Amino acid sequence: MPISFDTTGFRQLDQNTWQHSSGDQAQLTYYGLVPDLPAGLDDLPKLRHDLALVHGETGCLIEAHVVQLGGTQALLRIIKMPLPNQPNGQVFVASFTIPKEASSAVLQLGAVERGMTGAREAVLAAEIGFESWAMQHPYAPELQGVLPFHAGDDPRHDARFPDHPLTRVRAWAHHVVRTARVDPGFASLPPFRAQPPKPPIEPGQRLITALPSLPVRDFVGLRVGEETTFWRVTDPKLHEMLGRGLMGRSPLAETRFRDMLMIDVETGDAMIPDRFTTDGQMTAHGTRLRQVTLQEADAELSDDDVMNAFKWAGRMAGAAAERGEFLSLEPIENDGEQAEPHVLLAVQQHEGQQVVIAQFAPAPTEGPLAGSTSRNAPATAESVEGIGVLAGLAVNEWRSHPLRMAITYRRPAG
């Protein structure tokens, strides 16, 4: 991997993940895509402003800096987000991104509030005064984010709260700046340069509707009419929107919908429509795909890539539950009423607690799920991903390639 860091006190969980004795988890990821940054590292004011808006949609950007990591420029971000599916508590993340022209490496540490949450904030708010607590965001004064930017996150308070997760990720970030190393080959790659926005389509281009498959690493299948074709993703926009309820939808039946995009199959230029309008106007995002054969895509995919795709499907089932929906993972050719084979993935309330559910039709006849029509478990981050893994086991029995599988949104009847 392009970045190496001091793992003292960490236990390695897999090739790219380490867990500290405190429970904090570090992850190192390489992306073979153009970095999804709104500005270059040489335009820090715009980078900070736009990232504050991005992170404000899910939490709050506490600070962002351009630092030297092993002699190479990197973006350091510290953010906070609410704990998912919890009434209280936050998770804090420090991340380093080294962006290059067509790839990036990201090293991050996540720390979760445990036990009695909010103690740091309660003590400091009482001392500072509630009238001075919430502040305008220094990078984007107009921002009204999910979580407030407040005085309690100032690093001057870290020494008083050494066990707080924000203190831990900040201290780790400072240590990484001093000790990390970057692979010379990666460091020498051409630098990232932010590109001006590209119009979604050129005048006169002919776009047709396409329904995407489960994304697997850099590849996606598209159902265009009666044909399924396969494409390489060349930028992160489709990954950012697919499966999250953000894209325009195509109805399959009264309660069944799929994400949709518009594509020029000759050039690969595509337009991803937003599901919702802005000020009454439909908006869309431009992207470009490059057609490949299924054999070409399959040759580049590893077992871990496939596993990660099904884990992603599980996480998307968790996101769908927040919208009152659940998912069906099924062959992309199933474009009408529900038909076998399929796996329903849901997160819902049962007897006072949230549970994850995977329902199989037909029931698998081999492997660890043989004879099971469903599996369920209490809802946790691990079990939400786990129902995606179970779906993958069923798909393997169907002998269907994951790029021929699609996510369908389901709404409860009535």
Side-chain angles (χ1 to χ4, degrees):
M1 293 293 275
I3 306 172
S4 58
F5 68 104
D6 182 7
T7 58
T8 302
F10 286 85
R11 175 173 60 92
Q12 190 161 8
L13 301 182
D14 58 38
Q15 184 178 0
N16 303 318
T17 310
W18 295 260
Q19 188 168 52
H20 194 265
S21 55
S22 64
D24 301 344
Q25 196 162 102
Q27 190 166 36
L28 181 56
T29 309
Y30 171 81
Y31 296 97
L33 299 169
V34 176
D36 181 27
L37 291 177
L41 301 189
D42 57 349
D43 190 356
L44 186 57
K46 176 173 173 55
L47 189 57
R48 282 173 161 171
H49 176 272
D50 291 1
L51 288 175
L53 300 183
V54 169
H55 292 297
E57 296 178 359
T58 55
C60 179
L61 175 66
I62 297 174
E63 55 188 279
H65 311 279
V66 175
V67 299
Q68 291 289 320
L69 203 63
T72 302
Q73 278 198 328
L75 170 66
L76 166 61
R77 276 177 278 187
I78 297 179
I79 64 173
K80 59 182 177 181
M81 296 175 290
L83 280 173
N85 303 316
Q86 299 292 332
N88 301 299
Q90 299 175 34
V91 57
F92 294 82
V93 178
S95 69
F96 294 90
T97 301
I98 301 180
K100 293 298 180 180
E101 184 178 58
S103 60
S104 62
V106 179
L107 172 64
Q108 69 177 37
L109 181 78
V112 176
E113 277 191 303
R114 295 183 174 87
M116 182 180 294
T117 61
R120 172 174 173 152
E121 291 78 5
V123 170
L124 292 174
E127 294 176 358
I128 294 169
F130 293 99
E131 68 283 354
S132 303
W133 182 252
M135 306 164 65
Q136 281 189 335
H137 201 289
Y139 305 154
E142 75 278 17
L143 175 63
Q144 296 292 322
V146 168
L147 292 178
F149 184 89
H150 61 64
D153 290 336
D154 193 295
R156 291 176 295 178
H157 306 302
D158 287 356
R160 293 180 57 190
F161 302 91
D163 296 327
H164 191 271
L166 175 56
T167 303
R168 298 200 303 268
V169 300
R170 214 180 244 137
W172 176 81
H174 293 167
H175 182 67
V176 168
V177 168
R178 295 192 302 269
T179 60
R181 297 291 180 266
V182 178
D183 178 81
F186 182 77
S188 65
L189 291 175
F192 168 70
R193 297 282 183 244
Q195 299 298 315
K198 180 182 181 296
I201 57 170
E202 298 295 336
Q205 278 189 294
R206 179 175 177 268
L207 301 183
I208 55 178
T209 300
L211 308 185
S213 75
L214 182 76
V216 186
R217 211 186 72 184
D218 302 339
F219 299 97
V220 68
L222 292 181
R223 185 70 172 173
V224 182
E226 298 298 314
E227 184 181 9
T228 302
T229 54
F230 304 94
W231 302 77
R232 182 190 294 274
V233 178
T234 63
D235 63 61
K237 186 48 98 178
L238 184 59
H239 282 295
E240 291 172 359
M241 299 184 69
L242 188 60
R244 293 171 168 82
L246 302 175
M247 294 172 60
R249 292 184 171 189
S250 178
L252 304 184
E254 185 176 356
T255 61
R256 285 166 45 81
F257 306 85
R258 282 202 189 136
D259 287 327
M260 56 85 68
L261 53 82
M262 308 292 292
I263 188 168
D264 181 336
V265 294
E266 297 297 326
T267 66
D269 289 332
M271 183 175 68
I272 308 172
D274 284 317
R275 182 180 172 197
F276 305 105
T277 61
T278 300
D279 297 327
Q281 302 296 315
M282 179 61 71
T283 55
H285 309 270
T287 189
R288 174 166 287 181
L289 309 177
R290 188 166 72 248
Q291 191 165 7
V292 298
T293 66
L294 181 59
Q295 291 74 22
E296 288 171 334
D298 191 61
E300 294 192 35
L301 296 176
S302 67
D303 290 344
D304 284 344
D305 293 329
V306 173
M307 178 69 74
N308 288 335
F310 285 112
K311 287 181 178 179
W312 175 87
R315 295 196 299 273
M316 292 308 99
E322 298 178 3
R323 305 189 300 269
E325 298 178 323
F326 51 96
L327 302 184
S328 172
L329 191 63
E330 57 193 48
I332 199 169
E333 295 82 6
N334 288 5
D335 55 4
E337 296 288 351
Q338 184 75 75
E340 294 186 358
H342 64 262
V343 183
L344 296 183
L345 305 178
V347 181
Q348 61 188 38
Q349 288 287 330
H350 179 69
E351 296 182 353
Q353 69 170 344
Q354 278 202 316
V355 296
V356 296
I357 302 171
Q359 294 182 344
F360 312 101
T365 59
E366 56 188 57
L369 300 175
S372 297
T373 58
S374 68
R375 291 288 178 91
N376 62 79
T380 64
E382 292 77 13
S383 65
V384 169
E385 283 194 347
I387 58 172
V389 174
L390 296 182
L393 294 175
V395 171
N396 185 62
E397 180 169 322
W398 304 337
R399 304 296 187 263
S400 182
H401 197 282
L403 287 172
R404 290 190 178 275
M405 304 303 297
I407 281 178
T408 301
Y409 302 109
R410 294 284 307 274
R411 294 176 185 162

